[in-house]
Amino acid sequence: MEKVRIFDTTLRDGEQSPGCSMSTAEKLVMAKQLARLGVDTIEAGFANSSGEDFESIRMIGQEVEGPMIVSLARARKDDIDRSAEALQGATNWGIHTFIASSPLHMKHKLQMDPGEVLKAAVKAVEHAKQYTSNVEFSAEDASRSEPTFLVELFSAAVKAGATILNIPDTVGYTMPDEIYQLVARLKNEVYQSDQVMFSVHCHNDLGMAVANSLAALRAGARQVECTVNGIGERAGNAALEEIVMSLATRQQYYNLTCNVIGEQIYPSSRLLSQITGASVQPNKAIVGANAFAHEAGIHQDGVLKNALTYEIMTPQSVGIQENNLVLGKHSGRHALANRLESRGFYLNEEELNEVFEKFKHLADRKKQIFDEDLDVIVTQGVRQQQDDYILDSLTVSSGTHMIPTATVGMIIHGERIKKAAFGDGPVDAALNTIKEITNIDCRLIAYSVKSITGGTDAQGKVSVTIEKDGMRITGRGADTDIVTASALAFINSINRLSRMP
Ligand SMILES: [Zn+2]
């Protein structure tokens, strides 16, 4: 069976989607999980887009072993130089350079004619090749480009030294039959096409990203660019888990395999949604809460008699564990560490000590600690490590015959500040006080509370969306006290806002 390379762009294209921005520390945690998942390539960012992106790529290049680490670069010398600078010293790395090739993009976006685009592409590939032997070249908006021009452009890129040719359906426009034909034609006509690997990068605007990616593989592409949970610009990118499980479940049909470890799919999905705060829709294939739930009585009966009656794959094969083992006050460090690993969190000694401390603290207030509680403890910890704004203390008084008042203590860039303010309710009072202390002028546009698990001692999970200068940022917080959870969520959104370039 031939191998397919899984090129993960969760940290680059995925991170570009609204509400999915991640800090450097968060990206590093996610990149380590992607390595465990077994992806072949991690596109860690776009080095020349911001200082923080540069730093994330550099750190991932230094610290993550296994996958090839790649930075995106426009077909420009400065982009390529920055990419190489970020990744020099990494053991296994490459550069992914691109330029648009459709008439629409060339004319209106680049204001270049096809001849100029061709020259820029060749120059970029040659320049990247001086730094690394792993050079991927993408023709942006390939699905709306003239196929004859694509043949010319890709042939020139091969001559200049590109090792991977990527065909992006940038706007999610193509259909499976069309991309099949395009890949087949390019494989036929591009110069020395048997010496290079063809890749696809599909967007989901018409819900075709996965179908198109699979069609391209059938036509001979051997790399797919995808993201965990299908996050990405607009309607998202092709979902990694759907591609991988399609290949695995229909192995005889595709006769292709890949290096991804199925059991790491669910932990990766959970980790990403914990980090970004973007939850997965319940009916999402493979990783949605209902993906393996059988509601209809006749189905349940069938599954009990033989799982294969209504299940084409098992929940265990994607890492969903049946035993929802509950931890409590008396659970030890070892049990906690084991449980965390099954959720995708591999902590070092120091981190484990810190999480264990918080776990004990929560167990004092809550009888049973569920997996979802653990997710929150860990990701809240990762976040706070590099936060500029930290909640130090919170006291709220409210009731039927008084004006709700909050006193909030915060640590801002290491300095302690305390203030009090009123509000229409305890949450409003707390948020008003935080706004006054931080002096950040933003508009609260969405607020929601959900309980993480059942029971009145459950942790409340609060999600807050704020807007400033047209930019929307979502923050999350969780605690057994919903006012505290609200304050944490609001402060989280402020921290995210302050890290924006
Ligand atoms: Zn994209």
Side-chain angles (χ1 to χ4, degrees):
M1 256 188 298
E2 272 189 72
K3 273 253 163 87
V4 171
R5 282 185 70 86
I6 301 294
F7 176 115
D8 181 278
T9 184
T10 305
L11 301 177
R12 201 278 299 165
D13 214 333
E15 207 241 355
Q16 269 169 245
S17 56
C20 286
S21 62
M22 292 174 240
S23 68
T24 301
E26 290 168 339
K27 280 188 183 173
L28 187 60
V29 169
M30 192 63 213
K32 287 183 178 166
Q33 176 57 28
L34 290 171
R36 251 174 255 123
L37 176 63
V39 305
D40 299 282
T41 303
I42 294 175
E43 188 165 55
F46 186 165
N48 206 21
S49 70
S50 73
E52 196 173 5
D53 244 37
F54 179 88
E55 186 53 24
S56 303
I57 297 167
R58 201 188 60 80
M59 278 189 53
I60 292 169
Q62 300 291 324
E63 295 194 26
V64 178
E65 277 169 47
M68 182 190 291
I69 312 298
V70 163
S71 165
L72 185 68
R74 285 166 296 185
R76 285 168 40 164
K77 188 176 178 299
D78 54 341
D79 273 26
I80 292 163
D81 291 342
R82 275 298 267 177
S83 298
E85 198 186 330
L87 285 166
Q88 241 147 35
T91 41
N92 183 13
W93 63 280
I95 293 175
H96 175 198
T97 186
F98 74 98
I99 193 163
S101 56
S102 65
L104 205 67
H105 278 230
M106 289 191 289
K107 187 167 174 222
H108 297 283
K109 194 177 84 172
L110 299 174
Q111 281 144 345
M112 289 165 90
D113 64 35
E116 290 170 315
V117 166
L118 197 90
K119 262 194 210 143
V122 167
K123 249 174 98 177
V125 172
E126 282 174 350
H127 190 57
K129 198 76 185 180
Q130 293 183 329
Y131 290 114
T132 168
S133 53
N134 304 312
V135 178
E136 171 168 333
F137 172 73
S138 275
E140 190 189 5
D141 205 16
S143 53
R144 294 192 299 170
S145 304
E146 290 290 338
T148 44
F149 180 57
L150 277 183
V151 170
E152 206 185 331
L153 184 62
F154 279 141
S155 296
V158 173
K159 285 176 195 157
T163 45
I164 298 177
L165 301 177
N166 183 43
I167 305 158
D169 183 25
T170 307
V171 291
Y173 181 75
T174 200
M175 291 289 143
D177 287 353
E178 288 175 316
I179 198 159
Y180 181 96
Q181 280 166 18
L182 180 63
V183 173
R185 176 167 175 186
L186 292 171
K187 277 207 72 150
N188 241 328
E189 298 180 16
V190 168
Y191 172 77
Q192 288 192 341
S193 64
D194 54 335
Q195 307 293 310
V196 292
M197 183 175 278
F198 283 83
S199 165
V200 281
H201 174 111
C202 298
H203 276 271
N204 208 30
D205 297 70
L206 292 171
M208 295 287 169
V210 169
N212 285 335
S213 303
L214 293 169
L217 292 179
R218 295 269 289 164
R222 285 295 173 264
Q223 174 176 285
V224 260
E225 303 197 358
C226 47
T227 61
V228 173
N229 296 342
I231 65 166
E233 290 265 24
R234 306 180 311 276
N237 286 59
L240 179 148
E241 59 278 5
E242 295 177 24
I243 292 167
V244 169
M245 290 315 288
S246 293
L247 295 181
T249 308
R250 300 301 308 274
Q251 203 171 70
Q252 287 184 340
Y253 179 76
Y254 287 104
N255 204 24
L256 293 169
T257 174
C258 69
N259 289 327
V260 166
I261 295 158
E263 288 78 8
Q264 289 293 339
I265 286 178
Y266 191 63
S268 306
S269 163
R270 296 278 326 167
L271 181 64
L272 180 66
S273 69
Q274 276 301 319
I275 288 176
T276 58
S279 45
V280 174
Q281 85 211 44
N283 62 329
K284 167 81 177 61
I286 320 291
V287 291
N290 297 344
F292 293 94
H294 300 281
E295 192 69 29
I298 192 164
H299 287 204
Q300 286 175 348
D301 184 52
V303 169
L304 286 175
K305 284 178 179 144
N306 181 343
L308 291 177
T309 49
Y310 287 100
E311 263 178 16
I312 56 168
M313 56 196 157
T314 64
Q316 292 83 353
S317 68
V318 298
I320 297 174
Q321 296 202 345
E322 295 272 353
N323 62 332
N324 196 357
L325 190 87
V326 179
L327 297 177
K329 210 173 166 161
H330 303 291
S331 304
R333 280 166 51 98
H334 193 67
L336 176 70
N338 269 344
R339 203 64 204 157
L340 288 172
E341 282 180 17
S342 78
R343 308 293 286 172
F345 300 116
Y346 295 75
L347 307 181
N348 63 33
E349 201 57 29
E350 195 187 324
E351 291 165 333
L352 184 62
N353 284 339
E354 206 176 300
V355 169
F356 188 61
E357 199 60 37
K358 287 183 180 157
F359 164 75
K360 283 284 178 196
H361 183 63
L362 182 64
D364 280 338
R365 291 179 294 162
K366 191 174 182 301
K367 270 198 231 62
Q368 298 179 312
I369 311 285
F370 295 95
D371 289 345
E372 290 79 0
D373 294 315
L374 295 181
D375 293 350
V376 165
I377 294 178
V378 179
T379 46
Q380 229 158 240
V382 170
R383 265 183 223 144
Q384 281 160 359
Q385 270 170 26
Q386 49 163 229
D387 282 353
D388 294 332
Y389 301 87
I390 298 166
L391 180 69
D392 190 31
S393 63
L394 170 70
T395 317
V396 183
S397 33
S398 69
T400 50
H401 287 86
M402 63 178 297
I403 299 172
T405 317
T407 309
V408 178
M410 288 185 69
I411 303 171
I412 302 178
H413 299 288
E415 194 192 335
R416 274 171 207 277
I417 305 177
K418 203 170 210 175
K419 274 192 179 173
F422 301 114
D424 286 335
V427 171
D428 191 48
L431 268 48
N432 281 343
T433 319
I434 293 165
K435 237 174 152 176
E436 241 177 67
I437 294 177
T438 56
N439 214 355
I440 283 179
D441 171 38
C442 61
R443 223 159 50 86
L444 184 72
I445 54 171
Y447 172 87
S448 75
V449 196
K450 262 204 264 177
S451 79
I452 295 179
T453 54
T456 48
D457 66 347
Q459 293 201 83
K461 179 167 75 177
V462 174
S463 158
V464 153
T465 305
I466 58 171
E467 190 181 65
K468 191 174 191 290
D469 307 327
M471 187 155 53
R472 290 185 176 194
I473 308 252
T474 300
R476 301 216 304 178
D479 196 273
T480 48
D481 178 319
I482 62 158
V483 183
T484 307
S486 305
L488 289 170
F490 189 47
I491 293 171
N492 177 233
S493 67
I494 292 173
N495 277 305
R496 282 174 180 269
L497 183 73
S498 74
R499 283 195 292 261
M500 286 291 127

